Amino acid sequence: MVALTGMTWRKIGLNSIPMTGDQIKLDSDTRATAPSTPQRPFWRASVAALFLPALVVAVGYAAMWLYLVQIGRGSDNLARVSLAVLAIGVPCLLAYAGLRWATTRLTLRGSHLEAHPGFPARDPVVVAYASISGLRIRRGLSGRLTGAGSLIIERAPEVSVVVSGLTDPEAALMETTRRAPQLAESANLS
């Protein structure tokens, strides 16, 4: 194989996981010349935490509709409302949860972090580590049940950024605290 320069490796992405995984075998000297890419800490939203409310609504309205049918009131207004929620509301809630899951993420980079709060926000919020004045985790009912949590990134002059439903909020909190200089200093002093 022809020796490739570091720029070619980065341009083509030959050292990416799909290209250097078990499917493609590179000989040892070619693999040794490939520059290593640093892994960025990356967190996504918890599937269970986002879909749990929609599933609870679906089960609740389905149980109410079945109960009304059992007692002979399947054609009443309450039964129709239950069917309307099952036919229209639950698919909308599932679509919203899917969009939130696909867009919610927290990525730590060299000098800043990118927090995408999820749908309907279009762009991620870029926060420099130096501007972070505090970090904390908040958990709701579904977060307590699934282990997910919201990471609240406090910025002194600006509005806080909330990244909801992260899968492992404690790890995100520890890694962000380690990278933020004033938070790392205060953690070392305590």
PDB file of all heavy atoms in Angstrom, residues 62-102:
ATOM      1  N   ALA A  62     -55.645   4.112  26.835  1.00  0.00           N
ATOM      2  CA  ALA A  62     -56.096   2.801  26.348  1.00  0.00           C
ATOM      3  C   ALA A  62     -56.837   2.048  27.450  1.00  0.00           C
ATOM      4  O   ALA A  62     -57.875   1.416  27.195  1.00  0.00           O
ATOM      5  CB  ALA A  62     -54.907   1.990  25.849  1.00  0.00           C
ATOM      6  N   ALA A  63     -56.335   2.121  28.687  1.00  0.00           N
ATOM      7  CA  ALA A  63     -57.019   1.451  29.804  1.00  0.00           C
ATOM      8  C   ALA A  63     -58.385   2.079  30.051  1.00  0.00           C
ATOM      9  O   ALA A  63     -59.372   1.356  30.299  1.00  0.00           O
ATOM     10  CB  ALA A  63     -56.157   1.530  31.057  1.00  0.00           C
ATOM     11  N   MET A  64     -58.473   3.414  29.972  1.00  0.00           N
ATOM     12  CA  MET A  64     -59.763   4.062  30.178  1.00  0.00           C
ATOM     13  C   MET A  64     -60.748   3.679  29.073  1.00  0.00           C
ATOM     14  O   MET A  64     -61.913   3.390  29.333  1.00  0.00           O
ATOM     15  CB  MET A  64     -59.593   5.586  30.217  1.00  0.00           C
ATOM     16  CG  MET A  64     -60.895   6.308  30.503  1.00  0.00           C
ATOM     17  SD  MET A  64     -60.723   8.051  30.892  1.00  0.00           S
ATOM     18  CE  MET A  64     -59.947   8.689  29.441  1.00  0.00           C
ATOM     19  N   TRP A  65     -60.295   3.638  27.814  1.00  0.00           N
ATOM     20  CA  TRP A  65     -61.176   3.257  26.708  1.00  0.00           C
ATOM     21  C   TRP A  65     -61.644   1.814  26.857  1.00  0.00           C
ATOM     22  O   TRP A  65     -62.830   1.521  26.672  1.00  0.00           O
ATOM     23  CB  TRP A  65     -60.460   3.469  25.381  1.00  0.00           C
ATOM     24  CG  TRP A  65     -61.308   3.093  24.213  1.00  0.00           C
ATOM     25  CD1 TRP A  65     -62.332   3.816  23.675  1.00  0.00           C
ATOM     26  CD2 TRP A  65     -61.228   1.883  23.466  1.00  0.00           C
ATOM     27  NE1 TRP A  65     -62.887   3.131  22.634  1.00  0.00           N
ATOM     28  CE2 TRP A  65     -62.222   1.942  22.483  1.00  0.00           C
ATOM     29  CE3 TRP A  65     -60.397   0.768  23.531  1.00  0.00           C
ATOM     30  CZ2 TRP A  65     -62.421   0.918  21.569  1.00  0.00           C
ATOM     31  CZ3 TRP A  65     -60.588  -0.248  22.621  1.00  0.00           C
ATOM     32  CH2 TRP A  65     -61.589  -0.177  21.654  1.00  0.00           C
ATOM     33  N   LEU A  66     -60.735   0.908  27.201  1.00  0.00           N
ATOM     34  CA  LEU A  66     -61.126  -0.494  27.406  1.00  0.00           C
ATOM     35  C   LEU A  66     -62.123  -0.629  28.550  1.00  0.00           C
ATOM     36  O   LEU A  66     -63.079  -1.418  28.460  1.00  0.00           O
ATOM     37  CB  LEU A  66     -59.886  -1.356  27.667  1.00  0.00           C
ATOM     38  CG  LEU A  66     -59.007  -1.624  26.447  1.00  0.00           C
ATOM     39  CD1 LEU A  66     -57.726  -2.330  26.879  1.00  0.00           C
ATOM     40  CD2 LEU A  66     -59.762  -2.446  25.416  1.00  0.00           C
ATOM     41  N   TYR A  67     -61.932   0.106  29.627  1.00  0.00           N
ATOM     42  CA  TYR A  67     -62.868   0.066  30.748  1.00  0.00           C
ATOM     43  C   TYR A  67     -64.248   0.554  30.315  1.00  0.00           C
ATOM     44  O   TYR A  67     -65.269  -0.055  30.652  1.00  0.00           O
ATOM     45  CB  TYR A  67     -62.341   0.906  31.911  1.00  0.00           C
ATOM     46  CG  TYR A  67     -63.323   1.027  33.045  1.00  0.00           C
ATOM     47  CD1 TYR A  67     -63.561  -0.051  33.887  1.00  0.00           C
ATOM     48  CD2 TYR A  67     -64.025   2.202  33.247  1.00  0.00           C
ATOM     49  CE1 TYR A  67     -64.483   0.041  34.930  1.00  0.00           C
ATOM     50  CE2 TYR A  67     -64.938   2.314  34.279  1.00  0.00           C
ATOM     51  CZ  TYR A  67     -65.172   1.228  35.116  1.00  0.00           C
ATOM     52  OH  TYR A  67     -66.086   1.331  36.128  1.00  0.00           O
ATOM     53  N   LEU A  68     -64.283   1.649  29.549  1.00  0.00           N
ATOM     54  CA  LEU A  68     -65.569   2.182  29.084  1.00  0.00           C
ATOM     55  C   LEU A  68     -66.274   1.209  28.142  1.00  0.00           C
ATOM     56  O   LEU A  68     -67.495   1.056  28.188  1.00  0.00           O
ATOM     57  CB  LEU A  68     -65.372   3.539  28.407  1.00  0.00           C
ATOM     58  CG  LEU A  68     -64.973   4.686  29.333  1.00  0.00           C
ATOM     59  CD1 LEU A  68     -64.589   5.910  28.539  1.00  0.00           C
ATOM     60  CD2 LEU A  68     -66.095   4.994  30.312  1.00  0.00           C
ATOM     61  N   VAL A  69     -65.522   0.529  27.311  1.00  0.00           N
ATOM     62  CA  VAL A  69     -66.114  -0.480  26.423  1.00  0.00           C
ATOM     63  C   VAL A  69     -66.643  -1.647  27.245  1.00  0.00           C
ATOM     64  O   VAL A  69     -67.738  -2.167  26.969  1.00  0.00           O
ATOM     65  CB  VAL A  69     -65.086  -0.952  25.370  1.00  0.00           C
ATOM     66  CG1 VAL A  69     -65.569  -2.182  24.630  1.00  0.00           C
ATOM     67  CG2 VAL A  69     -64.780   0.172  24.392  1.00  0.00           C
ATOM     68  N   GLN A  70     -65.932  -2.056  28.272  1.00  0.00           N
ATOM     69  CA  GLN A  70     -66.353  -3.186  29.121  1.00  0.00           C
ATOM     70  C   GLN A  70     -67.662  -2.894  29.850  1.00  0.00           C
ATOM     71  O   GLN A  70     -68.482  -3.796  30.015  1.00  0.00           O
ATOM     72  CB  GLN A  70     -65.265  -3.513  30.155  1.00  0.00           C
ATOM     73  CG  GLN A  70     -64.045  -4.150  29.589  1.00  0.00           C
ATOM     74  CD  GLN A  70     -64.302  -5.596  29.204  1.00  0.00           C
ATOM     75  OE1 GLN A  70     -65.115  -6.274  29.805  1.00  0.00           O
ATOM     76  NE2 GLN A  70     -63.611  -6.044  28.168  1.00  0.00           N
ATOM     77  N   ILE A  71     -67.851  -1.658  30.278  1.00  0.00           N
ATOM     78  CA  ILE A  71     -69.070  -1.351  31.029  1.00  0.00           C
ATOM     79  C   ILE A  71     -70.206  -0.892  30.116  1.00  0.00           C
ATOM     80  O   ILE A  71     -71.269  -0.488  30.587  1.00  0.00           O
ATOM     81  CB  ILE A  71     -68.821  -0.304  32.140  1.00  0.00           C
ATOM     82  CG1 ILE A  71     -68.384   1.040  31.560  1.00  0.00           C
ATOM     83  CG2 ILE A  71     -67.828  -0.826  33.155  1.00  0.00           C
ATOM     84  CD1 ILE A  71     -68.339   2.156  32.593  1.00  0.00           C
ATOM     85  N   GLY A  72     -70.008  -0.962  28.793  1.00  0.00           N
ATOM     86  CA  GLY A  72     -71.069  -0.645  27.859  1.00  0.00           C
ATOM     87  C   GLY A  72     -71.180   0.816  27.488  1.00  0.00           C
ATOM     88  O   GLY A  72     -72.188   1.238  26.921  1.00  0.00           O
ATOM     89  N   ARG A  73     -70.164   1.624  27.789  1.00  0.00           N
ATOM     90  CA  ARG A  73     -70.207   3.054  27.461  1.00  0.00           C
ATOM     91  C   ARG A  73     -69.175   3.390  26.388  1.00  0.00           C
ATOM     92  O   ARG A  73     -68.620   4.473  26.352  1.00  0.00           O
ATOM     93  CB  ARG A  73     -69.943   3.879  28.717  1.00  0.00           C
ATOM     94  CG  ARG A  73     -71.032   3.677  29.778  1.00  0.00           C
ATOM     95  CD  ARG A  73     -70.829   4.523  30.989  1.00  0.00           C
ATOM     96  NE  ARG A  73     -70.743   5.934  30.623  1.00  0.00           N
ATOM     97  CZ  ARG A  73     -70.282   6.871  31.447  1.00  0.00           C
ATOM     98  NH1 ARG A  73     -69.866   6.543  32.658  1.00  0.00           N
ATOM     99  NH2 ARG A  73     -70.238   8.126  31.064  1.00  0.00           N
ATOM    100  N   GLY A  74     -68.960   2.466  25.460  1.00  0.00           N
ATOM    101  CA  GLY A  74     -67.961   2.629  24.412  1.00  0.00           C
ATOM    102  C   GLY A  74     -68.312   3.659  23.371  1.00  0.00           C
ATOM    103  O   GLY A  74     -67.463   4.051  22.570  1.00  0.00           O
ATOM    104  N   SER A  75     -69.574   4.108  23.331  1.00  0.00           N
ATOM    105  CA  SER A  75     -69.962   5.120  22.344  1.00  0.00           C
ATOM    106  C   SER A  75     -70.178   6.498  22.979  1.00  0.00           C
ATOM    107  O   SER A  75     -70.633   7.417  22.311  1.00  0.00           O
ATOM    108  CB  SER A  75     -71.231   4.676  21.611  1.00  0.00           C
ATOM    109  OG  SER A  75     -72.291   4.542  22.540  1.00  0.00           O
ATOM    110  N   ASP A  76     -69.852   6.639  24.244  1.00  0.00           N
ATOM    111  CA  ASP A  76     -70.001   7.934  24.927  1.00  0.00           C
ATOM    112  C   ASP A  76     -68.897   8.900  24.497  1.00  0.00           C
ATOM    113  O   ASP A  76     -67.912   8.532  23.864  1.00  0.00           O
ATOM    114  CB  ASP A  76     -69.937   7.748  26.449  1.00  0.00           C
ATOM    115  CG  ASP A  76     -71.217   7.141  27.007  1.00  0.00           C
ATOM    116  OD1 ASP A  76     -72.194   7.013  26.246  1.00  0.00           O
ATOM    117  OD2 ASP A  76     -71.210   6.815  28.209  1.00  0.00           O
ATOM    118  N   ASN A  77     -69.061  10.154  24.898  1.00  0.00           N
ATOM    119  CA  ASN A  77     -68.088  11.199  24.550  1.00  0.00           C
ATOM    120  C   ASN A  77     -66.718  10.936  25.157  1.00  0.00           C
ATOM    121  O   ASN A  77     -65.693  11.201  24.524  1.00  0.00           O
ATOM    122  CB  ASN A  77     -68.603  12.569  24.992  1.00  0.00           C
ATOM    123  CG  ASN A  77     -69.746  13.048  24.130  1.00  0.00           C
ATOM    124  OD1 ASN A  77     -69.901  12.592  23.006  1.00  0.00           O
ATOM    125  ND2 ASN A  77     -70.546  13.951  24.668  1.00  0.00           N
ATOM    126  N   LEU A  78     -66.672  10.427  26.373  1.00  0.00           N
ATOM    127  CA  LEU A  78     -65.391  10.155  27.031  1.00  0.00           C
ATOM    128  C   LEU A  78     -64.614   9.069  26.285  1.00  0.00           C
ATOM    129  O   LEU A  78     -63.389   9.171  26.138  1.00  0.00           O
ATOM    130  CB  LEU A  78     -65.617   9.757  28.494  1.00  0.00           C
ATOM    131  CG  LEU A  78     -64.383   9.648  29.368  1.00  0.00           C
ATOM    132  CD1 LEU A  78     -63.608  10.966  29.361  1.00  0.00           C
ATOM    133  CD2 LEU A  78     -64.770   9.277  30.791  1.00  0.00           C
ATOM    134  N   ALA A  79     -65.320   8.069  25.770  1.00  0.00           N
ATOM    135  CA  ALA A  79     -64.661   7.025  24.981  1.00  0.00           C
ATOM    136  C   ALA A  79     -64.129   7.601  23.672  1.00  0.00           C
ATOM    137  O   ALA A  79     -63.038   7.231  23.215  1.00  0.00           O
ATOM    138  CB  ALA A  79     -65.618   5.879  24.718  1.00  0.00           C
ATOM    139  N   ARG A  80     -64.883   8.506  23.054  1.00  0.00           N
ATOM    140  CA  ARG A  80     -64.426   9.142  21.817  1.00  0.00           C
ATOM    141  C   ARG A  80     -63.185  10.009  22.060  1.00  0.00           C
ATOM    142  O   ARG A  80     -62.270  10.034  21.245  1.00  0.00           O
ATOM    143  CB  ARG A  80     -65.549   9.986  21.222  1.00  0.00           C
ATOM    144  CG  ARG A  80     -66.661   9.153  20.654  1.00  0.00           C
ATOM    145  CD  ARG A  80     -67.677  10.014  19.930  1.00  0.00           C
ATOM    146  NE  ARG A  80     -68.815   9.203  19.601  1.00  0.00           N
ATOM    147  CZ  ARG A  80     -70.060   9.493  19.950  1.00  0.00           C
ATOM    148  NH1 ARG A  80     -70.318  10.597  20.629  1.00  0.00           N
ATOM    149  NH2 ARG A  80     -71.050   8.704  19.606  1.00  0.00           N
ATOM    150  N   VAL A  81     -63.190  10.718  23.170  1.00  0.00           N
ATOM    151  CA  VAL A  81     -62.013  11.526  23.510  1.00  0.00           C
ATOM    152  C   VAL A  81     -60.805  10.617  23.729  1.00  0.00           C
ATOM    153  O   VAL A  81     -59.694  10.927  23.281  1.00  0.00           O
ATOM    154  CB  VAL A  81     -62.295  12.402  24.756  1.00  0.00           C
ATOM    155  CG1 VAL A  81     -61.009  13.008  25.295  1.00  0.00           C
ATOM    156  CG2 VAL A  81     -63.294  13.489  24.429  1.00  0.00           C
ATOM    157  N   SER A  82     -61.002   9.501  24.396  1.00  0.00           N
ATOM    158  CA  SER A  82     -59.903   8.551  24.620  1.00  0.00           C
ATOM    159  C   SER A  82     -59.357   8.035  23.297  1.00  0.00           C
ATOM    160  O   SER A  82     -58.135   7.946  23.113  1.00  0.00           O
ATOM    161  CB  SER A  82     -60.377   7.368  25.465  1.00  0.00           C
ATOM    162  OG  SER A  82     -60.791   7.802  26.719  1.00  0.00           O
ATOM    163  N   LEU A  83     -60.245   7.696  22.359  1.00  0.00           N
ATOM    164  CA  LEU A  83     -59.787   7.233  21.048  1.00  0.00           C
ATOM    165  C   LEU A  83     -59.083   8.347  20.274  1.00  0.00           C
ATOM    166  O   LEU A  83     -58.103   8.084  19.565  1.00  0.00           O
ATOM    167  CB  LEU A  83     -60.974   6.699  20.235  1.00  0.00           C
ATOM    168  CG  LEU A  83     -61.451   5.303  20.629  1.00  0.00           C
ATOM    169  CD1 LEU A  83     -62.670   4.916  19.814  1.00  0.00           C
ATOM    170  CD2 LEU A  83     -60.337   4.290  20.427  1.00  0.00           C
ATOM    171  N   ALA A  84     -59.568   9.578  20.406  1.00  0.00           N
ATOM    172  CA  ALA A  84     -58.916  10.699  19.723  1.00  0.00           C
ATOM    173  C   ALA A  84     -57.503  10.919  20.260  1.00  0.00           C
ATOM    174  O   ALA A  84     -56.566  11.155  19.489  1.00  0.00           O
ATOM    175  CB  ALA A  84     -59.751  11.968  19.876  1.00  0.00           C
ATOM    176  N   VAL A  85     -57.346  10.816  21.569  1.00  0.00           N
ATOM    177  CA  VAL A  85     -56.008  10.963  22.155  1.00  0.00           C
ATOM    178  C   VAL A  85     -55.110   9.825  21.687  1.00  0.00           C
ATOM    179  O   VAL A  85     -53.934  10.048  21.350  1.00  0.00           O
ATOM    180  CB  VAL A  85     -56.087  11.029  23.697  1.00  0.00           C
ATOM    181  CG1 VAL A  85     -54.708  10.906  24.319  1.00  0.00           C
ATOM    182  CG2 VAL A  85     -56.747  12.314  24.141  1.00  0.00           C
ATOM    183  N   LEU A  86     -55.642   8.606  21.644  1.00  0.00           N
ATOM    184  CA  LEU A  86     -54.842   7.470  21.184  1.00  0.00           C
ATOM    185  C   LEU A  86     -54.476   7.586  19.704  1.00  0.00           C
ATOM    186  O   LEU A  86     -53.377   7.211  19.302  1.00  0.00           O
ATOM    187  CB  LEU A  86     -55.587   6.159  21.431  1.00  0.00           C
ATOM    188  CG  LEU A  86     -55.648   5.694  22.874  1.00  0.00           C
ATOM    189  CD1 LEU A  86     -56.600   4.516  23.024  1.00  0.00           C
ATOM    190  CD2 LEU A  86     -54.261   5.326  23.371  1.00  0.00           C
ATOM    191  N   ALA A  87     -55.383   8.102  18.886  1.00  0.00           N
ATOM    192  CA  ALA A  87     -55.145   8.166  17.451  1.00  0.00           C
ATOM    193  C   ALA A  87     -54.332   9.388  17.034  1.00  0.00           C
ATOM    194  O   ALA A  87     -53.574   9.323  16.062  1.00  0.00           O
ATOM    195  CB  ALA A  87     -56.481   8.162  16.707  1.00  0.00           C
ATOM    196  N   ILE A  88     -54.481  10.496  17.751  1.00  0.00           N
ATOM    197  CA  ILE A  88     -53.806  11.737  17.340  1.00  0.00           C
ATOM    198  C   ILE A  88     -52.740  12.163  18.343  1.00  0.00           C
ATOM    199  O   ILE A  88     -51.598  12.459  17.968  1.00  0.00           O
ATOM    200  CB  ILE A  88     -54.834  12.878  17.157  1.00  0.00           C
ATOM    201  CG1 ILE A  88     -55.828  12.501  16.051  1.00  0.00           C
ATOM    202  CG2 ILE A  88     -54.139  14.189  16.831  1.00  0.00           C
ATOM    203  CD1 ILE A  88     -57.026  13.408  15.973  1.00  0.00           C
ATOM    204  N   GLY A  89     -53.079  12.180  19.616  1.00  0.00           N
ATOM    205  CA  GLY A  89     -52.170  12.701  20.633  1.00  0.00           C
ATOM    206  C   GLY A  89     -50.938  11.847  20.851  1.00  0.00           C
ATOM    207  O   GLY A  89     -49.814  12.361  20.906  1.00  0.00           O
ATOM    208  N   VAL A  90     -51.136  10.545  20.976  1.00  0.00           N
ATOM    209  CA  VAL A  90     -50.001   9.654  21.262  1.00  0.00           C
ATOM    210  C   VAL A  90     -48.999   9.633  20.109  1.00  0.00           C
ATOM    211  O   VAL A  90     -47.792   9.739  20.352  1.00  0.00           O
ATOM    212  CB  VAL A  90     -50.492   8.242  21.649  1.00  0.00           C
ATOM    213  CG1 VAL A  90     -49.342   7.266  21.719  1.00  0.00           C
ATOM    214  CG2 VAL A  90     -51.234   8.297  22.973  1.00  0.00           C
ATOM    215  N   PRO A  91     -49.418   9.528  18.834  1.00  0.00           N
ATOM    216  CA  PRO A  91     -48.413   9.613  17.761  1.00  0.00           C
ATOM    217  C   PRO A  91     -47.663  10.943  17.749  1.00  0.00           C
ATOM    218  O   PRO A  91     -46.461  10.979  17.461  1.00  0.00           O
ATOM    219  CB  PRO A  91     -49.231   9.426  16.480  1.00  0.00           C
ATOM    220  CG  PRO A  91     -50.413   8.646  16.910  1.00  0.00           C
ATOM    221  CD  PRO A  91     -50.731   9.125  18.292  1.00  0.00           C
ATOM    222  N   CYS A  92     -48.355  12.037  18.073  1.00  0.00           N
ATOM    223  CA  CYS A  92     -47.668  13.340  18.141  1.00  0.00           C
ATOM    224  C   CYS A  92     -46.644  13.350  19.275  1.00  0.00           C
ATOM    225  O   CYS A  92     -45.529  13.862  19.111  1.00  0.00           O
ATOM    226  CB  CYS A  92     -48.676  14.460  18.326  1.00  0.00           C
ATOM    227  SG  CYS A  92     -49.664  14.795  16.857  1.00  0.00           S
ATOM    228  N   LEU A  93     -47.012  12.799  20.431  1.00  0.00           N
ATOM    229  CA  LEU A  93     -46.068  12.724  21.553  1.00  0.00           C
ATOM    230  C   LEU A  93     -44.870  11.840  21.206  1.00  0.00           C
ATOM    231  O   LEU A  93     -43.728  12.163  21.565  1.00  0.00           O
ATOM    232  CB  LEU A  93     -46.769  12.188  22.800  1.00  0.00           C
ATOM    233  CG  LEU A  93     -47.747  13.132  23.486  1.00  0.00           C
ATOM    234  CD1 LEU A  93     -48.486  12.392  24.608  1.00  0.00           C
ATOM    235  CD2 LEU A  93     -47.027  14.343  24.035  1.00  0.00           C
ATOM    236  N   LEU A  94     -45.114  10.726  20.523  1.00  0.00           N
ATOM    237  CA  LEU A  94     -44.010   9.843  20.121  1.00  0.00           C
ATOM    238  C   LEU A  94     -43.101  10.523  19.095  1.00  0.00           C
ATOM    239  O   LEU A  94     -41.871  10.390  19.159  1.00  0.00           O
ATOM    240  CB  LEU A  94     -44.553   8.528  19.582  1.00  0.00           C
ATOM    241  CG  LEU A  94     -45.199   7.606  20.612  1.00  0.00           C
ATOM    242  CD1 LEU A  94     -45.859   6.424  19.931  1.00  0.00           C
ATOM    243  CD2 LEU A  94     -44.184   7.142  21.644  1.00  0.00           C
ATOM    244  N   ALA A  95     -43.689  11.258  18.156  1.00  0.00           N
ATOM    245  CA  ALA A  95     -42.874  11.981  17.171  1.00  0.00           C
ATOM    246  C   ALA A  95     -42.040  13.061  17.854  1.00  0.00           C
ATOM    247  O   ALA A  95     -40.858  13.241  17.543  1.00  0.00           O
ATOM    248  CB  ALA A  95     -43.770  12.592  16.100  1.00  0.00           C
ATOM    249  N   TYR A  96     -42.632  13.767  18.804  1.00  0.00           N
ATOM    250  CA  TYR A  96     -41.901  14.803  19.535  1.00  0.00           C
ATOM    251  C   TYR A  96     -40.746  14.177  20.330  1.00  0.00           C
ATOM    252  O   TYR A  96     -39.625  14.704  20.320  1.00  0.00           O
ATOM    253  CB  TYR A  96     -42.855  15.545  20.466  1.00  0.00           C
ATOM    254  CG  TYR A  96     -42.188  16.604  21.301  1.00  0.00           C
ATOM    255  CD1 TYR A  96     -41.752  17.789  20.729  1.00  0.00           C
ATOM    256  CD2 TYR A  96     -42.001  16.417  22.664  1.00  0.00           C
ATOM    257  CE1 TYR A  96     -41.137  18.759  21.491  1.00  0.00           C
ATOM    258  CE2 TYR A  96     -41.384  17.385  23.423  1.00  0.00           C
ATOM    259  CZ  TYR A  96     -40.962  18.557  22.840  1.00  0.00           C
ATOM    260  OH  TYR A  96     -40.347  19.507  23.593  1.00  0.00           O
ATOM    261  N   ALA A  97     -41.006  13.060  20.992  1.00  0.00           N
ATOM    262  CA  ALA A  97     -39.950  12.389  21.746  1.00  0.00           C
ATOM    263  C   ALA A  97     -38.833  11.913  20.819  1.00  0.00           C
ATOM    264  O   ALA A  97     -37.647  12.007  21.154  1.00  0.00           O
ATOM    265  CB  ALA A  97     -40.532  11.222  22.538  1.00  0.00           C
ATOM    266  N   GLY A  98     -39.195  11.415  19.646  1.00  0.00           N
ATOM    267  CA  GLY A  98     -38.184  10.981  18.684  1.00  0.00           C
ATOM    268  C   GLY A  98     -37.331  12.136  18.186  1.00  0.00           C
ATOM    269  O   GLY A  98     -36.112  12.016  18.048  1.00  0.00           O
ATOM    270  N   LEU A  99     -37.962  13.264  17.927  1.00  0.00           N
ATOM    271  CA  LEU A  99     -37.207  14.443  17.500  1.00  0.00           C
ATOM    272  C   LEU A  99     -36.309  14.965  18.619  1.00  0.00           C
ATOM    273  O   LEU A  99     -35.170  15.383  18.368  1.00  0.00           O
ATOM    274  CB  LEU A  99     -38.162  15.540  17.034  1.00  0.00           C
ATOM    275  CG  LEU A  99     -38.858  15.286  15.696  1.00  0.00           C
ATOM    276  CD1 LEU A  99     -39.953  16.312  15.462  1.00  0.00           C
ATOM    277  CD2 LEU A  99     -37.857  15.302  14.565  1.00  0.00           C
ATOM    278  N   ARG A 100     -36.796  14.937  19.838  1.00  0.00           N
ATOM    279  CA  ARG A 100     -35.953  15.351  20.977  1.00  0.00           C
ATOM    280  C   ARG A 100     -34.758  14.418  21.124  1.00  0.00           C
ATOM    281  O   ARG A 100     -33.636  14.848  21.370  1.00  0.00           O
ATOM    282  CB  ARG A 100     -36.757  15.341  22.282  1.00  0.00           C
ATOM    283  CG  ARG A 100     -37.817  16.369  22.437  1.00  0.00           C
ATOM    284  CD  ARG A 100     -37.249  17.696  22.748  1.00  0.00           C
ATOM    285  NE  ARG A 100     -36.376  17.640  23.892  1.00  0.00           N
ATOM    286  CZ  ARG A 100     -36.367  18.509  24.861  1.00  0.00           C
ATOM    287  NH1 ARG A 100     -37.200  19.504  24.842  1.00  0.00           N
ATOM    288  NH2 ARG A 100     -35.520  18.409  25.839  1.00  0.00           N
ATOM    289  N   TRP A 101     -34.998  13.113  20.989  1.00  0.00           N
ATOM    290  CA  TRP A 101     -33.902  12.150  21.133  1.00  0.00           C
ATOM    291  C   TRP A 101     -32.857  12.345  20.030  1.00  0.00           C
ATOM    292  O   TRP A 101     -31.658  12.245  20.274  1.00  0.00           O
ATOM    293  CB  TRP A 101     -34.443  10.721  21.091  1.00  0.00           C
ATOM    294  CG  TRP A 101     -33.347   9.725  21.155  1.00  0.00           C
ATOM    295  CD1 TRP A 101     -32.637   9.353  22.245  1.00  0.00           C
ATOM    296  CD2 TRP A 101     -32.800   8.996  20.052  1.00  0.00           C
ATOM    297  NE1 TRP A 101     -31.683   8.429  21.900  1.00  0.00           N
ATOM    298  CE2 TRP A 101     -31.772   8.203  20.547  1.00  0.00           C
ATOM    299  CE3 TRP A 101     -33.093   8.953  18.700  1.00  0.00           C
ATOM    300  CZ2 TRP A 101     -31.031   7.353  19.745  1.00  0.00           C
ATOM    301  CZ3 TRP A 101     -32.356   8.116  17.897  1.00  0.00           C
ATOM    302  CH2 TRP A 101     -31.333   7.324  18.436  1.00  0.00           C
ATOM    303  N   ALA A 102     -33.307  12.617  18.825  1.00  0.00           N
ATOM    304  CA  ALA A 102     -32.377  12.767  17.703  1.00  0.00           C
ATOM    305  C   ALA A 102     -31.545  14.040  17.786  1.00  0.00           C
ATOM    306  O   ALA A 102     -30.448  14.102  17.227  1.00  0.00           O
ATOM    307  CB  ALA A 102     -33.147  12.735  16.384  1.00  0.00           C
TER     308      ALA A 102
END
